[in-house]
Amino acid sequence: MNIRLLSCDAAKPDKRAITKLIEEIGEGVSNYDAQDFTEFLLAGDPVDLSISDNNSSSSFRGLRKLGVDYEMLD
């Protein structure tokens, strides 16, 4: 399943937690890539991410908890 991370609405975004979540849910995403994706997201650029269907519900829950807006692409 592919999703697009649009923005982060949290008053004080937790970069470390967002990076960790992106690394955990993203298929083939390294820590270095997750850090880059977090920087792009917090700068206001959308980030496309492929996630496993097996943990999609927990992925969406984690994104909502961190204040990350997303949309499903497939």
Side-chain angles (χ1 to χ4, degrees):
M1 173 184 300
N2 294 318
I3 62 172
R4 177 172 289 145
L5 306 179
L6 302 172
S7 64
C8 182
D9 295 336
K12 290 185 177 181
D14 186 349
K15 288 183 183 182
R16 190 176 191 186
I18 294 169
T19 299
K20 183 177 177 185
L21 181 65
I22 291 174
E23 183 181 7
E24 288 175 1
I25 68 173
E27 291 183 344
V29 176
S30 68
N31 182 270
Y32 180 77
D33 291 335
Q35 289 175 0
D36 285 344
F37 291 160
T38 301
E39 291 298 325
F40 294 146
L41 179 66
L42 295 178
D45 296 326
V47 175
D48 291 344
L49 196 61
S50 178
I51 62 171
S52 170
D53 289 335
N54 296 342
N55 62 348
S56 60
S57 62
S58 61
S59 302
F60 297 139
R61 195 172 324 120
L63 291 169
R64 285 191 300 269
K65 182 179 177 183
L66 293 171
V68 177
D69 292 329
Y70 61 90
E71 67 180 2
M72 289 187 269
L73 300 176
D74 332 299

